[in-house]
Amino acid sequence: MSESAQKKEESGKYNRIIAAATKTFAEKGFFKSTVSDVARAAEVAEGTIYLYFKNKDDLLISIFESSMDMFIREMDQALEGITDVKERLRRLITLHLSLVEAHRELAQVLHIELRQSSMFMREYTGDKLKQYLKFIQDIIEAGQAEGVFNSNADPYVLRRTIFGALDEVGLKWVLSKRKGPLEQFSKQIADLFLNGLTQLKEK
Amino acid sequence: MSESAQKKEESGKYNRIIAAATKTFAEKGFFKSTVSDVARAAEVAEGTIYLYFKNKDDLLISIFESSMDMFIREMDQALEGITDVKERLRRLITLHLSLVEAHRELAQVLHIELRQSSMFMREYTGDKLKQYLKFIQDIIEAGQAEGVFNSNADPYVLRRTIFGALDEVGLKWVLSKRKGPLEQFSKQIADLFLNGLTQLKEK
Amino acid sequence: MSESAQKKEESGKYNRIIAAATKTFAEKGFFKSTVSDVARAAEVAEGTIYLYFKNKDDLLISIFESSMDMFIREMDQALEGITDVKERLRRLITLHLSLVEAHRELAQVLHIELRQSSMFMREYTGDKLKQYLKFIQDIIEAGQAEGVFNSNADPYVLRRTIFGALDEVGLKWVLSKRKGPLEQFSKQIADLFLNGLTQLKEK
Amino acid sequence: MSESAQKKEESGKYNRIIAAATKTFAEKGFFKSTVSDVARAAEVAEGTIYLYFKNKDDLLISIFESSMDMFIREMDQALEGITDVKERLRRLITLHLSLVEAHRELAQVLHIELRQSSMFMREYTGDKLKQYLKFIQDIIEAGQAEGVFNSNADPYVLRRTIFGALDEVGLKWVLSKRKGPLEQFSKQIADLFLNGLTQLKEK
DNA sequence: TATGAATGAGTGTTCATTCAT
DNA sequence: AATGAATGAACACTCATTCAT
């Protein structure tokens, strides 16, 4: 680990700010959150934030990138050694919702706040999100190549369809007060998509 | 000026502002758009906007509500007389994406900008959106009651799943530069869900 | 007078802000003066300043330009009809110091504050100042053409020499607490330069 | 490290900071220069600057004082043994502009940046500047006592007049891109003032 | 001495909203 | 109803200065 990287990690300031910003943005929204709010939550001075992040937008981007990294890392780990594509897709769906459940504030920021920064939807290319979407797409393509999933549907469209469904369901669950068993949802959604995908070929 | 003419004139201003705000919010985002931007686009004075809308948030809410009204009205019309639930669901999917295609600025505002106003996701109950989601749910429940759709899945979850998928695919299409045939997407997505729904019961 | 110009002049806000800014900048210096200071002095809201001036720098530039306009206007008027170049130069020197005396705050801003805005010394071309310097130069050149002033010296250098002397003496007088008869200074300086200029040729 | 070596090292840092600050202030202006800019240019840590200077203002004052010391030292040296007052004044004028030419950054800081710190023009008494002005005044008074310069003019006014002229011409030369022969200017200005001063008495 | 991370007060500028006309 | 000049609260960001190491 480089010295500067070590400094950032070790001091904990960087991570403390990221965590505080995630919480603050989730609670008040990105635009309604002030840098001062984040500083207070992180228990650092306002100026300190600018030692670690270029500006307020950069803070949001950083939350996003580090989160997607985590998502992808967890997925890789969870699917390691699983060869059956149907099982891979089922686990991806389950894990996605589990992660949302485990990091509800994060999920909220990613889903809602991310889309408002004009930077994101218009200027920022969103490589990390694409990486995750590609992950989904790879599973679908593998399934199609194996003949397990039908090949009529464009994997590009399917990845969006699945991601959108998971994103929306996850968000709704995060926002709703009554927190039912998200696990059951996973099964229903996985069944829906797996059947949808496998049976199409027999048409 | 007669009273009815005046009324029309009023309503003309109202609609002009709604249209201008939709366009402006889609272009610059809700928070980055100023009331002055909207006024300029609508060719009215800033103060005039406050004769028709309580405040800037109210403008966004109004866009949303009138749009969802349109969505539901169009859906009602399109599904009128169609009794086959599978066909009803297929048409709903197709029409949803068609409407997005026809009103891309609106879709952008609904999808992105709507979620930023903390008012919306936290305070505003979003009755109109619920109304639309209920519309989807009704079709599913009818299908389940008829035995055409399997009954394992919670209609409540399904409506979110389908809505999320349509929302995400529609948004992506709106934002992408290369505008391919959205119609083909509709068929693929409809097939996916219909098969997913119908085959589940046979499991 | 155009309507918008009339508005600006009539409301008096523009001039009130210019006057308040001149006073404030003279007292505290440009950089140490806050826009809020100026607003308070002008008895307008902070935001109002931005309706009349692009930004704080623009305020300084505007003070400068309108002042140099006044300087030149007064000079034109004072020298109108005077044909003798020696008398013209003498009157210019006298009037310059009189104007400084009459508008000491203005003089202070012009002399000191003007030079700090990087805009001015580096980016701003300072056309109005050049116009005034050209005014001085014209007198010198006319004198040289008539053979009244000697022609050994570059009019370009002379104009700077005279301007610098007047500027420095004027400033010092403005800043010093004991305010003696500036008029007597005028005579001494005029004598010095006129003799310097006229006798050089006989060398 | 020996004590004397340490002292030298200290002094080395001191001078390095002075030099870096002069350069930085000349380039960006005093207010727009940050202490961090100066530290970077001097290749020391920010905190180090505060070991040698009380604060940012003190840095500017120190530049000024050490420069005026140099000015006076050089003048003393250059005029040593010259008894003819006319020659003394001529040499002073020439040397002033030569020094400006040799230390253009310094000249710029002295002329422009110095005047912005409210400390200077209002609170700071400027002893060193007075010392230099007194230097000029002494020459004039000597000339008047000898009967070489006419006695009509107040030496106090004359010193300001000459200083102002030199300051302005020097500054203009420093700022202008096209750098002509400043030496020629010296001769013209010296001629102008010497004739102005000597001939006044014969009037 | 020397460092440079941390601080937090301070400021230019924006913009939603109001209200006299 | 319509206007748009005026308001002033709010906020992102900077930077001189400090201090623990």
Side-chain angles (χ1 to χ4, degrees):
Chain A
M1 194 183 275
S2 80
E3 257 197 63
S4 74
Q6 192 184 5
K7 191 177 51 200
K8 275 189 181 176
E9 297 307 321
E10 240 183 355
S11 86
K13 286 258 162 77
Y14 179 89
N15 290 326
R16 219 158 79 213
I17 294 168
I18 283 276
T22 304
K23 189 165 150 39
T24 308
F25 292 169
E27 273 166 12
K28 311 183 61 170
F30 176 72
F31 277 98
K32 300 237 171 148
S33 297
T34 67
V35 173
S36 165
D37 288 336
V38 175
R40 203 174 314 114
E43 292 181 300
V44 297
E46 273 180 69
T48 304
I49 289 177
Y50 291 88
L51 294 178
Y52 293 90
F53 302 92
K54 217 168 68 231
N55 51 37
K56 201 187 164 190
D57 274 348
D58 186 36
L59 193 45
L60 185 59
I61 291 177
S62 301
I63 288 174
F64 177 66
E65 305 228 306
S66 71
S67 306
M68 290 312 291
D69 278 342
M70 180 200 70
F71 248 71
I72 291 165
R73 209 180 322 113
E74 295 260 5
M75 284 293 169
D76 265 331
Q77 217 162 20
L79 303 190
E80 198 174 25
I82 312 289
T83 50
D84 180 49
V85 286
K86 291 171 81 173
E87 185 58 21
R88 282 177 74 85
L89 185 57
R90 180 176 296 280
R91 291 215 183 175
L92 180 140
I93 290 170
T94 306
L95 184 55
H96 181 115
L97 293 176
S98 298
L99 288 172
V100 165
E101 192 171 8
H103 307 277
R104 63 173 59 188
E105 279 168 356
L106 186 57
Q108 209 170 328
V109 171
L110 294 186
H111 188 96
I112 305 177
E113 309 307 338
L114 202 63
R115 315 200 173 188
Q116 27 178 267
S117 176
S118 63
M119 237 196 144
F120 265 87
M121 298 320 287
R122 280 174 263 265
E123 292 151 45
Y124 177 68
T125 53
D127 286 333
K128 296 284 180 179
L129 178 58
K130 276 184 188 154
Q131 213 175 315
Y132 182 56
L133 289 170
K134 187 65 171 46
F135 201 98
I136 301 175
Q137 188 176 344
D138 285 345
I139 296 175
I140 295 165
E141 284 176 343
Q144 288 179 328
E146 291 177 20
V148 177
F149 294 157
N150 96 317
S151 298
N152 292 337
D154 181 354
Y156 195 82
V157 175
L158 288 177
R159 81 181 195 185
R160 277 283 167 191
T161 306
I162 293 171
F163 176 76
L166 291 175
D167 195 38
E168 181 72 24
V169 170
L171 172 72
K172 188 60 201 170
W173 183 85
V174 161
L175 291 179
S176 71
K177 305 302 173 193
R178 54 162 185 77
K179 296 282 154 49
L182 187 54
E183 201 172 75
Q184 268 201 343
F185 293 180
S186 302
K187 183 172 171 7
Q188 290 176 24
I189 296 167
D191 285 346
L192 174 67
F193 281 121
L194 284 171
N195 276 283
L197 284 167
T198 52
Q199 298 307 327
L200 278 170
K201 72 173 172 186
E202 293 166 16
K203 244 199 167 169
Chain B
M1 193 185 274
S2 77
E3 256 196 61
S4 74
Q6 196 184 359
K7 188 89 172 268
K8 216 174 249 172
E9 170 55 25
E10 268 174 41
S11 144
K13 284 251 168 84
Y14 179 91
N15 289 326
R16 222 158 75 211
I17 294 169
I18 284 277
T22 304
K23 189 163 151 40
T24 307
F25 292 169
E27 273 166 11
K28 312 181 60 171
F30 176 71
F31 276 98
K32 301 236 171 145
S33 297
T34 68
V35 173
S36 164
D37 287 336
V38 175
R40 203 175 313 113
E43 293 181 300
V44 298
E46 281 176 69
T48 305
I49 289 177
Y50 289 85
L51 296 176
Y52 294 91
F53 303 92
K54 213 170 72 223
N55 52 35
K56 199 186 167 192
D57 274 347
D58 186 36
L59 193 45
L60 185 59
I61 292 177
S62 300
I63 288 174
F64 178 67
E65 306 229 306
S66 73
S67 307
M68 290 312 290
D69 277 343
M70 181 200 71
F71 247 71
I72 291 165
R73 208 180 323 113
E74 295 259 6
M75 285 294 170
D76 264 332
Q77 217 161 20
L79 304 190
E80 198 175 25
I82 312 288
T83 49
D84 179 48
V85 287
K86 292 171 80 170
E87 186 57 21
R88 282 178 74 85
L89 185 56
R90 181 176 296 278
R91 291 216 181 174
L92 180 139
I93 289 170
T94 306
L95 185 55
H96 182 114
L97 293 177
S98 299
L99 287 173
V100 165
E101 193 171 8
H103 308 278
R104 63 174 59 186
E105 279 169 356
L106 187 57
Q108 208 171 328
V109 171
L110 294 185
H111 189 97
I112 305 176
E113 309 307 337
L114 199 66
R115 314 201 172 187
Q116 41 183 238
S117 176
S118 63
M119 240 197 141
F120 264 86
M121 299 318 286
R122 279 173 267 266
E123 292 153 41
Y124 176 69
T125 53
D127 286 332
K128 296 285 178 180
L129 177 59
K130 276 183 187 154
Q131 213 175 316
Y132 182 56
L133 289 169
K134 188 64 171 48
F135 200 98
I136 301 175
Q137 188 175 344
D138 285 346
I139 295 175
I140 295 164
E141 284 176 343
Q144 289 180 327
E146 289 177 22
V148 177
F149 295 158
N150 95 317
S151 298
N152 293 337
D154 181 355
Y156 195 82
V157 175
L158 290 177
R159 78 181 198 186
R160 277 281 167 192
T161 306
I162 293 171
F163 176 76
L166 291 176
D167 195 37
E168 181 72 24
V169 170
L171 172 73
K172 189 60 203 171
W173 183 85
V174 161
L175 292 178
S176 72
K177 304 302 173 197
R178 53 164 185 75
K179 296 281 156 47
L182 188 53
E183 201 172 75
Q184 267 200 342
F185 294 179
S186 303
K187 184 172 168 10
Q188 291 177 23
I189 296 167
D191 285 346
L192 174 68
F193 282 120
L194 283 171
N195 275 283
L197 284 168
T198 52
Q199 298 305 328
L200 278 170
K201 70 173 173 187
E202 291 165 19
K203 239 197 169 173
Chain C
M1 193 182 275
S2 79
E3 256 197 62
S4 74
Q6 192 184 4
K7 189 176 51 202
K8 274 188 181 176
E9 298 306 322
E10 242 185 353
S11 88
K13 287 259 161 77
Y14 180 90
N15 290 325
R16 220 157 80 213
I17 293 168
I18 283 276
T22 305
K23 190 163 150 40
T24 307
F25 292 168
E27 274 166 12
K28 311 182 61 170
F30 176 72
F31 276 99
K32 300 236 171 147
S33 297
T34 66
V35 173
S36 165
D37 289 335
V38 175
R40 204 174 313 112
E43 293 181 299
V44 297
E46 277 179 69
T48 305
I49 290 177
Y50 290 87
L51 294 178
Y52 293 90
F53 302 92
K54 216 167 68 231
N55 51 36
K56 201 186 166 193
D57 274 348
D58 186 37
L59 193 45
L60 185 60
I61 293 177
S62 300
I63 289 174
F64 177 66
E65 305 230 305
S66 72
S67 306
M68 290 312 290
D69 277 343
M70 182 200 69
F71 248 69
I72 291 166
R73 211 181 320 114
E74 295 261 5
M75 285 293 169
D76 265 329
Q77 215 161 21
L79 303 190
E80 197 175 26
I82 313 289
T83 50
D84 179 47
V85 286
K86 291 171 79 171
E87 185 57 21
R88 283 177 74 85
L89 185 56
R90 181 176 295 280
R91 292 215 181 175
L92 180 139
I93 289 169
T94 306
L95 185 55
H96 181 113
L97 293 176
S98 298
L99 287 173
V100 165
E101 193 171 8
H103 306 279
R104 63 174 57 188
E105 278 168 353
L106 186 57
Q108 209 170 327
V109 171
L110 294 187
H111 188 95
I112 306 176
E113 309 308 338
L114 200 65
R115 312 199 176 190
Q116 26 178 268
S117 175
S118 63
M119 237 197 143
F120 265 86
M121 298 320 285
R122 278 173 264 264
E123 293 153 42
Y124 178 66
T125 54
D127 286 332
K128 296 285 179 179
L129 177 59
K130 275 184 188 155
Q131 213 175 315
Y132 183 55
L133 289 169
K134 188 63 173 45
F135 200 97
I136 301 176
Q137 188 175 342
D138 285 344
I139 296 175
I140 294 164
E141 284 177 343
Q144 288 179 329
E146 289 177 22
V148 178
F149 295 158
N150 97 317
S151 298
N152 293 336
D154 181 354
Y156 195 82
V157 176
L158 290 177
R159 79 180 197 185
R160 277 281 168 191
T161 307
I162 293 171
F163 176 77
L166 292 176
D167 195 37
E168 181 72 24
V169 170
L171 172 72
K172 188 61 203 169
W173 182 85
V174 160
L175 291 179
S176 72
K177 305 303 175 194
R178 54 162 183 76
K179 296 281 153 51
L182 188 52
E183 203 172 73
Q184 269 201 341
F185 293 180
S186 302
K187 186 175 168 10
Q188 291 176 24
I189 296 167
D191 285 347
L192 174 67
F193 281 120
L194 283 171
N195 275 283
L197 283 169
T198 51
Q199 298 305 328
L200 276 171
K201 70 171 171 190
E202 291 165 19
K203 244 202 164 166
Chain D
M1 192 185 275
S2 77
E3 254 196 64
S4 75
Q6 195 184 0
K7 187 90 173 265
K8 215 175 249 171
E9 169 56 25
E10 267 173 40
S11 143
K13 283 252 167 85
Y14 180 90
N15 288 327
R16 221 158 75 211
I17 294 168
I18 284 277
T22 305
K23 189 163 153 38
T24 308
F25 292 169
E27 274 166 12
K28 312 181 58 172
F30 176 72
F31 275 98
K32 300 236 172 146
S33 297
T34 67
V35 173
S36 164
D37 287 336
V38 175
R40 204 174 313 113
E43 293 181 300
V44 298
E46 281 176 68
T48 305
I49 289 177
Y50 289 86
L51 295 176
Y52 293 91
F53 303 92
K54 216 170 69 222
N55 52 35
K56 198 186 166 193
D57 274 348
D58 186 37
L59 193 46
L60 185 59
I61 293 177
S62 300
I63 289 174
F64 178 66
E65 305 228 308
S66 74
S67 307
M68 290 312 291
D69 277 344
M70 181 200 70
F71 247 70
I72 291 165
R73 210 181 322 113
E74 295 260 6
M75 285 293 169
D76 265 331
Q77 216 162 21
L79 304 190
E80 197 173 27
I82 312 288
T83 50
D84 179 46
V85 287
K86 291 171 79 172
E87 185 57 21
R88 282 177 73 83
L89 185 57
R90 181 176 295 279
R91 291 217 182 172
L92 181 139
I93 289 169
T94 306
L95 185 55
H96 182 113
L97 293 177
S98 298
L99 287 173
V100 165
E101 193 171 7
H103 308 278
R104 64 173 57 187
E105 277 169 356
L106 187 57
Q108 207 170 328
V109 171
L110 294 186
H111 188 96
I112 305 176
E113 308 309 337
L114 200 64
R115 312 198 174 188
Q116 39 181 241
S117 177
S118 63
M119 240 196 138
F120 264 86
M121 300 317 287
R122 279 172 267 264
E123 293 151 42
Y124 176 68
T125 53
D127 286 333
K128 296 284 180 180
L129 178 59
K130 275 185 187 152
Q131 214 175 313
Y132 182 57
L133 288 170
K134 188 65 172 47
F135 200 98
I136 302 175
Q137 190 176 342
D138 285 345
I139 297 175
I140 294 164
E141 284 176 344
Q144 288 178 329
E146 289 176 22
V148 176
F149 294 159
N150 96 319
S151 298
N152 293 337
D154 180 355
Y156 194 82
V157 176
L158 289 176
R159 79 179 197 186
R160 277 283 169 189
T161 307
I162 293 170
F163 177 76
L166 292 175
D167 195 37
E168 180 73 24
V169 170
L171 173 72
K172 188 60 202 170
W173 184 85
V174 161
L175 292 179
S176 72
K177 305 302 172 196
R178 54 163 184 75
K179 295 281 155 48
L182 188 51
E183 202 172 74
Q184 268 200 343
F185 293 180
S186 303
K187 183 172 170 11
Q188 290 177 22
I189 296 167
D191 285 346
L192 174 67
F193 281 121
L194 284 170
N195 275 282
L197 284 167
T198 52
Q199 298 304 328
L200 278 171
K201 70 172 173 189
E202 291 165 18
K203 242 203 165 165

